[in-house]
């Protein structure tokens, strides 16, 4: 039943959260249907301050070039690469959309958000070297991974990663792969560009310090949102035909408020994190790569260790980590009551089942929380033997909420990745989960549009516009050598990336 009043604002679309997901979806909707009225609601007083902020995420253009957790080793010793290929394809979609926005003038300085940084994987010891060699053999045969290099040669490694090789014992067993096509992405800067462009439109409004307190379905199938201004305390209602919940870790709580049957059984497991941030300019300049290692047993994918060249606000930076931690908050600026508030009768069984079946993760998180600065330095020293504590400071990373969902066999399973949950009629959708979300945001949102606006998605005009924005739409770059190379050449030129070779 609607509580609609005379003061209820009527809009077509409400986007909850002013992060990369809402910014991407809003931009796609506006390009495909410029007349649609959109309201963007953000509970903080700035855009992109949570997971999309540059200091709150890895900044890796996640394309599976270096992330070992996307290529798990099977019981027979083989390496499974289908997820890596899928993620690589999706990142190419993002680059095509960003290229379209550069060509259109929406983005004027791509170097403010994306830079060329080689992507590397580095492993230590015979067992992991054997895995990396098999991974290289499997991936390098594919178009999307063409040009990947592999070496165990210390002389080559000294050229690739001098900072990691300096002071390393001569008998250390180390191997690495390298892809020069890698990128560093400042998703905060990108989000701010997109939201600024949207906010300038007459039919789109951005509201900061606006918290959605309740979501209720009206009798006619639309949605009524109760919104509170956190500065003034004033409350208002908005009536929307479509609602997207892109509020990071807070999305689960808002999805539960909607009451849609599809939300039943979903839970969330929050994982916090910290970085070691280098403060020695000389050390920072000696490293130019994103080097990913293997995760510890029980570690979530977001905790895969990496020594990471970043470009933030035009300045080169160097991070190592992240070190995982546990908090009951679902957002960095959230509440310690977030986790308890998310527990419902419909999801308590899956959540208990996940707790029972993931003791390795629990032990890992406890050990991470207990680590002293010296312990954190010891972990860094595997990557950088000459590391000194005085050259690094602790930086608190963003908060992530991993998806828990019902499972017939186990009762509940912990999902690593992103998942869209939507109502049967497509009138409301929420994005849950974490990495590689931001990097694959364009592909995720195109899929969401097809699910939630099926009639529009079938229209010839819609499909023509989609192909204009994503020229390879509906085709596999991995299966087409010429298309893959032409697409990368075009996008890397437009985005001012200097790492593409014919």
């Amino acid at each position: 039943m609607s509580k609609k009043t005379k003061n209820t604002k009527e809009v077509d679309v409400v986007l909850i959260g002013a992060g990369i997901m809402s910014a991407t979806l809003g931009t796609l909707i506006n390009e495909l249907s410029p007349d649609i009225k959109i309201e963007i609601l953000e509970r903080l007083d700035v855009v992109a301050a949570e997971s999309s902020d540059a200091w709150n995420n890895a900044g890796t253009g996640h394309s599976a070039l270096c992330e070992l957790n996307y290529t798990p080793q099977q019981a027979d010793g083989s390496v499974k690469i289908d997820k890596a290929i899928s993620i690589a394809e999706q990142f190419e979609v993002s680059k095509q959309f960003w290229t379209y926005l550069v060509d259109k003038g929406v983005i004027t300085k791509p170097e403010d958000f994306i830079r060329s940084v080689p992507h590397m994987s580095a492993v230590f010891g015979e067992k992991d070297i054997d895995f990396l060699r098999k991974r290289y053999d499997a991936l390098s045969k594919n178009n999307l991974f063409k040009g990947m290099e592999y070496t165990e040669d210390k002389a080559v490694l000294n050229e690739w990663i001098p900072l990691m090789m300096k002071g390393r014992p001569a008998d250390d067993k180390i191997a690495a792969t390298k892809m020069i096509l890698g990128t560093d992405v400042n998703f905060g800067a990108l989000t701010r560009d997109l939201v600024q462009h949207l906010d300038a439109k007459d039919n789109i409004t951005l509201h900061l310090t606006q918290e959605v307190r309740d979501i209720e379905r009206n009798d006619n199938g639309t949605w009524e949102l109760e919104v509170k201004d956190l500065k003034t305390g004033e409350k208002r209602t908005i009536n929307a035909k479509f609602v997207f919940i892109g509020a990071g870790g807070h999305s689960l709580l808002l999805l539960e408020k909607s009451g849609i049957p599809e939300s039943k059984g979903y839970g969330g497991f929050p994982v916090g994190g910290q970085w070691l941030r280098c403060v020695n300019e000389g050390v920072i300049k000696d490293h130019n790569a994103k080097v990913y290692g293997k995760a510890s047993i029980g570690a979530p994918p977001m905790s895969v260790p990496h020594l990471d060249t970043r470009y933030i606000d035009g300045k080169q930076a160097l991070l190592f980590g992240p070190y995982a931690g546990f908090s009951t908050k679902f957002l960095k600026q959230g509440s310690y009551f977030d986790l308890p508030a998310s527990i419902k009768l419909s999801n308590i069984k899956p959540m208990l089942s996940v707790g029972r079946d993931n003791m390795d993760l629990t032990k890992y998180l406890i050990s991470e929380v207990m680590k002293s600065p010296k312990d954190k330095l010891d972990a860094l020293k595997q990557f950088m033997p000459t590391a000194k504590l005085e050259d690094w400071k602790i930086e608190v990373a963003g908060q992530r909420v991993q998806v828990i969902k019902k499972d017939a066999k186990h009762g509940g399973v912990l999902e690593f990745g992103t998942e869209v949950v939507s109502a049967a009629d497509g009138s409301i959708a929420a994005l849950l989960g974490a990495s590689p979300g931001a990097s694959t945001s364009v592909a995720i949102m195109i899929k969401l549009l097809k699910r939630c606006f099926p009639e529009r998605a079938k229209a010839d005009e819609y499909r023509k516009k989609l192909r204009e924005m994503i020229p390879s739409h509906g085709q596999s770059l991995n299966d087409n050598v010429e298309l893959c190379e032409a697409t990368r050449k075009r996008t890397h030129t437009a985005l001012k990336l200097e790492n593409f070779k014919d």
Side-chain angles (χ1 to χ4, degrees), residues 9 39 63 94 168 194 197 221 302 317 319 343 378 465:
K9 185 174 183 179
E39 191 106 347
S63 41
S94 291
R168 186 171 296 281
L194 298 182
H197 171 71
M302 65 160 285
L319 300 180
I343 299 172
D378 288 343
K465 184 67 178 180

Side-chain angles (χ1 to χ4, degrees), residues 61 63-66 91-92 95 114-121 136 144-150 156 159-160 176-184 288-290 488 492 496-502:
S63 41
L65 305 179
C66 60
F91 188 62
E92 295 298 328
K95 286 192 292 184
I114 189 166
R115 298 282 188 108
S116 296
V117 176
H119 281 197
M120 297 180 61
S121 304
Y136 165 75
L144 289 166
F145 297 89
K146 181 182 176 183
M148 179 179 279
E149 301 173 79
Y150 173 88
V156 175
E159 291 180 16
W160 287 2
T177 57
K178 180 180 181 181
M179 282 287 285
I180 62 169
L181 284 173
T183 55
D184 175 70
N288 181 41
K290 290 178 175 293
R488 281 179 163 169
H492 283 234
K496 299 183 181 179
L497 301 173
E498 300 171 356
N499 57 0
F500 182 80
K501 291 182 180 179
D502 290 317

Side-chain angles (χ1 to χ4, degrees), residues 5 14-15 37 45 62 79 130 133 165 178 228 253 256 302 314 353 449 460-461 479-480:
T5 68
V14 167
L15 306 175
K37 292 181 181 177
D45 58 359
H62 284 298
V79 176
D130 180 65
R133 195 182 299 118
M165 298 304 290
K178 180 180 181 181
K228 182 177 180 180
L253 295 170
E256 290 176 336
M302 65 160 285
S353 299
L449 286 171
D460 289 340
E461 188 177 343
D479 294 339
N480 189 323

Side-chain angles (χ1 to χ4, degrees), residues 101-328:
L101 295 176
V102 168
D103 291 343
K104 197 176 177 186
V106 174
I107 295 172
T108 55
K109 295 178 69 180
E111 64 272 24
D112 285 352
F113 84 90
I114 189 166
R115 298 282 188 108
S116 296
V117 176
H119 281 197
M120 297 180 61
S121 304
V123 296
F124 311 91
E126 288 291 355
K127 182 181 177 183
D128 287 346
I129 288 174
D130 180 65
F131 158 72
L132 188 64
R133 195 182 299 118
K134 288 177 178 176
R135 180 183 189 270
Y136 165 75
D137 288 341
L139 285 177
S140 58
K141 297 180 178 73
N142 292 272
N143 288 330
L144 289 166
F145 297 89
K146 181 182 176 183
M148 179 179 279
E149 301 173 79
Y150 173 88
T151 191
E152 298 172 36
D153 188 318
K154 297 288 177 64
V156 175
L157 290 168
N158 273 308
E159 291 180 16
W160 287 2
I161 43 175
L163 189 67
M164 291 179 62
M165 298 304 290
K166 187 177 180 182
R168 186 171 296 281
D171 60 350
D172 252 17
K173 294 191 178 297
I174 176 173
T177 57
K178 180 180 181 181
M179 282 287 285
I180 62 169
L181 284 173
T183 55
D184 175 70
V185 184
N186 184 331
F187 289 104
L190 174 59
T191 301
R192 287 186 286 274
D193 275 355
L194 298 182
V195 171
Q196 183 179 18
H197 171 71
L198 291 173
D199 193 34
K201 304 283 183 181
D202 291 338
N203 57 313
I204 302 174
T205 308
L206 167 68
H207 289 285
L208 301 176
T209 68
Q210 303 274 303
E211 185 174 71
V212 176
R213 292 298 182 89
D214 200 11
I215 304 174
E216 183 177 328
R217 192 191 286 270
N218 292 321
D219 293 340
N220 63 1
T222 61
W223 293 92
E224 185 172 273
L225 284 69
E226 182 185 305
V227 183
K228 182 177 180 180
D229 188 314
L230 298 180
K231 272 190 175 179
T232 66
E234 182 183 347
K235 292 182 179 179
R236 65 189 180 103
T237 55
I238 304 172
N239 213 48
K241 297 172 185 174
F242 173 74
V243 176
F244 172 67
I245 306 172
H250 203 61
S251 291
L252 175 63
L253 295 170
L254 292 171
L255 178 64
E256 290 176 336
K257 287 181 182 296
S258 74
I260 61 172
E262 292 80 5
S263 71
K264 307 301 182 187
Y266 279 93
F269 186 85
V271 180
Q274 293 181 335
W275 302 103
L276 282 179
R277 175 183 173 189
C278 188
V279 293
N280 184 322
E281 292 296 329
V283 174
I284 294 169
K285 296 298 181 187
D286 282 346
H287 187 75
N288 181 41
K290 290 178 175 293
V291 185
Y292 276 61
K294 274 204 103 179
S296 303
I297 294 173
M302 65 160 285
S303 298
V304 172
H306 43 103
L307 187 62
D308 214 7
T309 293
R310 301 291 308 276
Y311 286 91
I312 298 174
D313 300 327
K315 188 176 179 182
Q316 188 174 340
L318 181 62
L319 300 180
F320 178 77
Y323 300 91
F326 178 75
S327 167
T328 54

Side-chain angles (χ1 to χ4, degrees), residues 72-80 130 134:
Q73 193 162 19
Q74 305 302 291
D76 64 359
S78 63
V79 176
K80 192 175 183 184
D130 180 65
K134 288 177 178 176

